[in-house]
Amino acid sequence: MKNSKRPSRRQLLKMGAAAVGGGLLAQPKALAAESPGKLGIPLGPYGERSPYEKAVRWRRDTKTPETGSSFSPLQDSVGTLTPSSLHYERHHAGIPFIDPAQHRLVIHGMVDRPLSLAVADIKRLPSITRIMVLECGGNSGSEWTAITGPDVQRSYGLVSCSEWTGVSLSLLLKEVGVKPDASWVIAEGADACRMERSVPLAKALDDALIAYGQNGEALRPAQGYPLRLLLPGWEGNTNVKWLHSLKLTDQAYMARDETAKYSDLMPDGKARIFTYRMEAKSVITFPSGGQKLPGTGLYELTGLAWSGSGRIERVEITTDGGKSWVAAKLHEPRLPIAFTRFRLPWRFDGREAVIASRATDETGYVQPTREELIAVRGTNSGYHFNGMKFWKIQTDGTVRNVEV
Amino acid sequence: MWKCSVVVGVVLLLASIPLASQSPTFGVGRPPTPEDFRELATAIAPDGTGLPEGSGTVAAGREVFAAQCARCHGQKAEGDIGPILVGGQGTLRTPKPLKTVGSFWPYATTLWDYINRAMPFDKPGLLKSSEVYAAAAYILNLNGIIGEADVMDAKTLPKIRMPNRDGFVSDPRPDVGPKAKKPN
């Protein structure tokens, strides 16, 4: 059939259209007989995306493949939710394989009634669902010492937004009865390194969740299956995955990952400890580094903004390297501590343009420039970079990373 | 006889479930069992709370390190696949700070806690308590923090004053913009 000289269905349709255009009558019945339709593939039990869709996470090479991070393809994202399969990852000792029927969460230490809970126990309790962003404390860390990230994925991609479902930790703490002298909760994961973080009791009682659901299904193994801690607005590492222990104590335990790591070294040699909250941040995802505008004309600049302190109130965009700023349109609903998509129509006239976004959150905090951050923190703090990201659109439409 | 043992088994099973075991409002869960705790690493507080019995010398630690740690961290803890664990003191305020156990870590208890829970990288939990004390002793000795004859145990380890013990400050953010707080 492939070598047949008979015209294809499409050609026939074109001919038909031409015939109609020429005032002649088309003959649809005869066309249908020439080229019968083709059935699609049968229904399947678990969906997959089209093979034409190629967006994937990018993983930085590490000496040990079990530790490292994979970056979400923000440049390919639409809307405000990250598919679970593209959620950024940061693991310190691989992804454990856990049978949920064998998994337990033990709440112990300074409590009246230590409790061991099965996953099924936790699912029986009143649930909470919220859309929430999660950002690695080290996201954009490479931007401190140099503007090295050539594209938005590799420079800002350790952030994702999901709908999470779980149980309020404060509810569980009421069930165990926290002793009056307790002030910290030591969270531990069931991964090989038994990831450990100290969480102030006030945060645990405020808005912490024990999550078992993500985007309408169970957590993915890479996201802590079957249970993880969620601390809204706080650096990813504190949101301990594969959670199996919460120990109430009267002191922080000074774990390796809150002293040697995830602390911010200042120019005077002192390091800030317990810098948990991820502050307001935004980045333009289109056009962004590595992309190319196909020609001059009207485009929609778009990107994502978020803040660990609450709602995004305003996003402004510059197209002249920071000299002037215009307010972008924000997509609703603007949820606290969640991705907010912004957009701005813009005409590319073939002249070079330097673009960036800056976000303001509901506390009035304005996303700083890289220079403002460095003026206070130097270049060795490593974590919690939330500076603006500038892209240069060159005359031929190619977009690249630029230092302003 | 078969029936009898089933009955005995059921009675034993019921007896092993404490009655007032569940959470008061929602009636879920049970008191933790020793098996539950076996899955958890022992969390060690900076004051030494949680440290188990046992002890380790620098000499014993040298052997543990050669056998279990040097493969990734190098024979002298100079770093290879795993990070460098020695040196760096005095570099924290320079353009190229070197953060190691000796130059950066504020508590020696963290060293015991981390080796015990996470090392060796591919076989965490392999080392016995005394081997963890010994490995910690060796690394502290390499950094010039304890002497060759010092012995690490639940009493001595928390008393060590790490060189960077006072090197940490609280978070003063927001630290940029009009609402910036003054650093402590």
Side-chain angles (χ1 to χ4, degrees):
Chain A
M1 281 300 283
K2 267 191 176 173
N3 295 325
S4 163
K5 286 186 179 169
R6 274 189 290 177
S8 72
R9 185 187 172 98
R10 181 167 299 204
Q11 285 168 326
L12 283 169
L13 284 171
K14 273 187 185 168
M15 286 161 66
V20 170
L24 298 170
L25 286 174
Q27 294 182 335
K29 275 182 188 169
L31 293 178
E34 284 282 341
S35 180
K38 193 181 163 193
L39 283 173
I41 60 168
L43 295 72
Y46 196 84
E48 285 184 22
R49 65 178 173 178
S50 162
Y52 294 106
E53 295 301 315
K54 304 291 186 194
V56 288
R57 289 183 289 233
W58 175 79
R59 194 172 78 78
R60 178 173 285 141
D61 279 338
T62 51
K63 293 168 184 167
T64 45
E66 298 85 1
T67 176
S69 40
S70 63
F71 297 64
S72 194
L74 299 182
Q75 70 282 3
D76 300 315
S77 69
V78 295
T80 53
L81 286 178
T82 310
S84 301
S85 43
L86 293 174
H87 195 289
Y88 88 85
E89 297 175 56
R90 173 75 176 102
H91 310 308
H92 296 74
I95 303 161
F97 184 85
I98 297 177
D99 174 357
Q102 304 299 319
H103 187 81
R104 299 198 78 88
L105 171 62
V106 182
I107 309 179
H108 58 116
M110 298 173 73
V111 299
D112 297 328
R113 298 171 293 276
L115 202 57
S116 169
L117 295 155
V119 177
D121 292 328
I122 290 172
K123 287 186 174 174
R124 259 182 62 184
L125 300 171
S127 66
I128 289 176
T129 292
R130 73 175 287 180
I131 291 173
M132 198 191 96
V133 81
L134 203 58
E135 181 177 15
C136 178
N139 192 22
S140 315
S142 61
E143 304 282 300
W144 280 114
T145 47
I147 306 287
T148 53
D151 55 50
V152 68
Q153 180 168 18
R154 280 179 275 182
S155 56
Y156 281 58
L158 292 179
V159 61
S160 296
C161 187
S162 290
E163 184 199 80
W164 305 95
T165 297
V167 172
S168 163
L169 177 51
S170 67
L171 182 152
L172 289 174
L173 293 178
K174 274 196 200 90
E175 292 293 88
V176 296
V178 176
K179 289 193 186 293
D181 290 344
S183 52
W184 290 82
V185 184
I186 314 303
E188 183 184 289
D191 48 343
C193 67
R194 297 288 192 265
M195 175 55 66
E196 177 191 33
R197 286 297 304 254
S198 304
V199 179
L201 179 60
K203 179 66 173 176
L205 291 171
D206 178 19
D207 58 358
L209 281 183
I210 307 299
Y212 50 78
Q214 180 186 8
N215 296 331
E217 60 181 353
L219 295 174
R220 294 290 171 96
Q223 292 306 322
Y225 182 82
L227 294 175
R228 83 174 301 169
L229 181 60
L230 282 180
L231 302 176
W234 285 21
E235 62 180 5
N237 183 253
T238 61
N239 295 254
V240 175
K241 293 175 285 193
W242 315 292
L243 185 72
H244 71 172
S245 172
L246 293 170
K247 182 178 185 179
L248 279 291
T249 68
D250 58 2
Q251 57 191 309
Y253 268 31
M254 300 296 176
R256 180 258 199 181
D257 283 282
E258 59 205 18
T259 52
K261 305 288 176 183
Y262 299 97
S263 59
D264 301 349
L265 184 61
M266 296 292 114
D268 66 358
K270 302 281 186 194
R272 293 179 183 172
I273 194 169
F274 304 136
T275 49
Y276 298 115
R277 197 169 292 281
M278 303 305 290
E279 295 175 297
K281 189 167 177 179
S282 70
V283 67
I284 294 175
T285 56
F286 177 84
S288 61
Q291 295 175 335
K292 184 175 184 185
L293 299 179
T296 57
L298 189 62
Y299 290 92
E300 183 172 80
L301 307 183
T302 185
L304 294 164
W306 64 96
S307 168
S309 305
R311 263 181 203 81
I312 291 296
E313 280 302 318
R314 188 164 62 250
V315 176
E316 296 154 290
I317 289 179
T318 180
T319 55
D320 57 11
K323 291 192 201 81
S324 64
W325 296 83
V326 250
K329 173 91 174 162
L330 303 182
H331 283 213
E332 299 287 346
R334 290 174 292 120
L335 301 172
I337 315 178
F339 274 166
T340 295
R341 186 163 285 279
F342 60 85
R343 59 190 171 89
L344 181 74
W346 175 69
R347 187 169 292 280
F348 176 50
D349 58 11
R351 281 183 293 183
E352 194 176 273
V354 175
I355 63 171
S357 62
R358 75 174 173 210
T360 302
D361 69 21
E362 65 177 278
T363 71
Y365 177 89
V366 182
Q367 182 184 5
T369 62
R370 175 172 175 265
E371 290 64 35
E372 286 174 295
L373 282 176
I374 289 173
V376 177
R377 301 187 206 164
T379 55
N380 287 323
S381 60
Y383 300 96
H384 307 105
F385 181 94
N386 67 325
M388 299 172 204
K389 182 75 174 171
F390 286 83
W391 305 114
K392 180 188 269 188
I393 301 169
Q394 303 179 120
T395 52
D396 66 351
T398 53
V399 188
R400 64 179 183 83
N401 172 52
V402 66
E403 191 160 355
V404 172
Chain B
M1 198 55 203
W2 179 85
K3 269 188 183 170
C4 181
S5 63
V6 167
V7 169
V8 170
V10 168
V11 169
L12 283 175
L13 190 66
L14 288 174
S16 70
I17 302 171
L19 289 175
S21 64
Q22 296 180 325
S23 70
T25 307
F26 293 97
V28 295
R30 56 161 169 75
T33 62
E35 287 72 36
D36 291 337
F37 283 109
R38 262 201 286 279
E39 288 298 310
L40 316 185
T42 309
I44 309 301
D47 66 5
T49 302
L51 279 172
E53 289 179 6
S55 66
T57 62
V58 174
R62 193 173 285 115
E63 285 178 30
V64 171
F65 196 89
Q68 302 295 348
C69 319
R71 174 162 62 88
C72 292
H73 292 286
Q75 292 297 327
K76 295 280 181 189
E78 71 275 18
D80 187 1
I81 300 168
I84 182 171
L85 304 174
V86 291
Q89 291 183 38
T91 67
L92 295 182
R93 67 177 75 184
T94 69
K96 292 221 179 264
L98 179 60
K99 296 194 271 190
T100 73
V101 172
S103 69
F104 196 56
W105 291 37
Y107 294 95
T109 47
T110 307
L111 186 56
W112 198 99
D113 179 278
Y114 188 68
I115 295 170
N116 180 58
R117 72 176 55 245
M119 292 291 126
F121 178 71
D122 58 347
K123 290 184 208 117
L126 179 77
L127 302 181
K128 295 178 178 69
S129 293
S130 289
E131 292 175 313
V132 178
Y133 280 117
Y138 179 62
I139 294 165
L140 292 168
N141 177 258
L142 281 178
N143 278 286
I145 296 167
I146 64 169
E148 179 74 26
D150 288 337
V151 178
M152 290 296 105
D153 59 28
K155 284 206 176 92
T156 55
L157 187 74
K159 288 193 185 128
I160 289 170
R161 190 168 174 82
M162 297 293 273
N164 197 39
R165 170 68 185 82
D166 296 327
F168 290 82
V169 293
S170 63
D171 176 16
R173 293 180 305 158
D175 58 354
V176 293
K179 292 184 181 175
K181 290 181 200 160
K182 292 268 183 285
N184 293 347

